[in-house]
Amino acid sequence: MAFEGLSERLQKVFSTLRGKGKLSEDDVRKVMREVRMALLEADVNFDVVKNFVKQVRERALGAEVMDSLSPSQQVIKIVDDELTKLMGEEAVPLNKSPHIPTIIMMVGLQGAGKTTTAGKLAKYLINNEKARPIFIAGDVYRPAAIEQLKTVAEQVGAPVYEEGTDKDPVDIVKNGLAKAAENKNDYVIIDTAGRLEIDDKLMDELTRIKDLAHPNEILFVADSMTGQVAAKVAHGFDEQLDITGVVLTKLDGDTRGGAALSIRAVTGKPIKFIGQGEKLDQLDVFHPDRMANRILGMGDMLTLIEKA
Amino acid sequence: SFSARFNRFLANFRSVDEEFFDDLEELLIESDVGYETAMRLSDELREEVKLENVKKRSDVSDVIVKKLVDMYDEEGKEEDNSLKFSNDKTPTIFLFVGVNGAGKTTTIGKLAHRYQQEGKKVLLAAGDTFRAGAIEQLQVWGKRVGVPVQASKAQTDPASVVFDAVHRAVEEDFDILLVDTAGRLQNKEGLMRELEKIKRVITRELPEAPQEVLLVLDGSTGQNALSQAKQFNETTDVSGIVLTKIDGSSQGGIVLAIRNELHIPVKLVGLGEQMDDLRDFDPEKFIYGLFKELIVGSGE
Ligand SMILES: Nc1nc2c(ncn2[C@@H]2O[C@H](COP(=O)(O)OP(=O)(O)OP(=O)(O)O)[C@@H](O)[C@H]2O)c(=O)[nH]1
Ligand SMILES: Nc1nc2c(ncn2[C@@H]2O[C@H](COP(=O)(O)OP(=O)(O)OP(=O)(O)O)[C@@H](O)[C@H]2O)c(=O)[nH]1
Ligand SMILES: [Mg+2]
Ligand SMILES: [Mg+2]
């Protein structure tokens, strides 16, 4: 990537601070300026960055000086702590219904990775719980969306309920749920068409599907390469659907993935899984601390603390 | 939108001081123009404002808009954003590349529709043999716009499908061949080499082809778009960019960064999922659209 990680940036700042026993307000400001730039370059939303920096600065200035750490080490530690906190402390498991089936609905922008992630989730559930999931093909708009889902479903060995492309997705979901009840499937995964959060008609369709199906999980699937707009999009989906969780896709790329932080900050909803490839076993549980390091380009936090 | 926020920003500012330029930098960053571009813009604006000794709000916004448009024009001086076609009887070939889900297949469908409407003989090549349903997706588009699709079975070597398509295009006198490829992230070496091979196959058959290698970029992409443009350009020598999904909330400010740092022209923009939702990129209109409210609002 073209960007320096925060580690390199901070090392430059620290080299000017080295030997100082106590950080002045000005020193903290210098460090925080680098943190701010690193976050912005990672595509973290501007407002999110602003609040974060303010919070860390306050904590850094008010912090008791710990014997074990130099003042600069302490600032890094505070940054890391706060960022991990903001990302959500630990991995949050999937919501489950007390009775079968657990209903999971995939939503998000066009091309984010909903259909692929639906397949990955099914595989994950089959592998971990010997689950018997069924898919409902709720995307009647994208060319060959149903063929795509069917191919994916075949690869994981789960059935698809579909009615072609001429029916209302809400009706398809209704009939699909009846089918799932009849088959006693323990999971129902509803694939929906990609849509813009500003598309009232299509967003209303999702609301109708939600009101009918009462999903246990509404997973907002987001492309980790998204820029500043990630916050607005996530807010739009959350406001209209009250999403229950987030899946971040395409993290096998070289993006810093600042969108993760923005989405988490504006929705407050947990990121549950990350997609790390196109293959159906490339779904991983989300780890906030690893994501925090990735966004900052921190490399190994410990080495940084040692060097400071 | 950028311009709405920019206007709000201008309405709130009192004097042209350092804080003003700090805020301006951040505002530009928020529009995905990228850190370097934002810094450069605001530095040059700082100079300009000083030079012209402006103090009034309305004057400042005038200077800024003028400067932005100038800079945009300047960066694009050597650029030609028209699509290139074959000079002789051989078919024109456009190769589409880009990361997963950017809009390659859809753009091919839209462009096929455009050329079909113009009376050209169009062939599509289903070079994505990897993703589930990719071949069927292109075939649905082919049917929708009434053009044939050269395809083989899923999971076969994409280079061989492309080879077949090139031959067919030559033998059956097609005017244009649009080649779809599987989405791939730019850091995947093996997949990038596969793309290189696909391009080589085309050039080996027709030395002048492909006339265009179009990198399809999702308009809501952040700074990673720069890495995409760099890596795809290194592998396949990208001749133009298609900016998709600008019907969404993001207006593609990343284009400014790409323009400034990589000098690859944007040639087409996608603004919807239907076959008519494709436009030639018009830099002036784009800039005007981005700053429209600002330009209109600055008179008060
Ligand atoms: N590299 C990589 N590619 C992914 C990942 N998840 C999905 N993809 C790819 O991204 C592209 C889009 O994925 P889809 O599952 O079709 O996305 P979608 O959200 O269903 O798209 P629409 O239905 O058109 O809105 C495909 O090429 C997938 O193979 C991931 O984690 N890593
Ligand atoms: N709103 C909007 N959606 C678009 C646009 N272009 C493409 N899409 C949608 O984005 C999704 C992905 O488009 P594709 O054409 O399948 O993208 P791709 O690059 O071929 O994807 P892969 O082959 O999986 O890498 C589909 O749902 C398209 O309908 C656009 O300009 N605007
Ligand atoms: Mg889909
Ligand atoms: Mg495609």
Side-chain angles (χ1 to χ4, degrees), chain A residues 1 36-37 41 43 46 110 142-144 148 196-197 225-229 232 250 252-254 278, chain B residues 26 30 32 35 100 131-132 137 141 185-188 220-224 227-228 245 247 249 273:
Chain A
M1 284 295 286
R36 175 176 161 275
M37 274 351 300
E41 284 181 345
D43 291 320
F46 167 69
Q110 289 94 343
R142 170 174 167 163
Q148 182 188 5
L196 302 170
E197 88 287 359
M225 297 178 283
T226 313
Q228 291 284 320
V229 80
K232 183 172 183 283
K250 308 180 198 175
D252 44 323
D254 61 8
E278 296 188 70
Chain B
E26 284 160 357
E30 239 195 330
D32 288 324
Y35 180 66
N100 307 80
R131 209 209 61 216
Q137 185 187 3
W141 270 107
L185 298 179
Q186 69 276 14
N187 60 338
K188 305 271 169 89
S220 63
T221 312
Q223 300 313 298
N224 194 253
S227 162
Q228 292 171 27
K245 309 186 194 178
D247 47 326
S249 297
E273 300 185 73

Side-chain angles (χ1 to χ4, degrees), chain A residues 142, chain B residues 101-106 108 128 131 134 137-138 180-183:
Chain A
R142 170 174 167 163
Chain B
K104 295 174 290 300
T105 309
T106 306
I108 288 174
D128 180 358
R131 209 209 61 216
Q137 185 187 3
L138 194 69
D180 195 14
T181 62

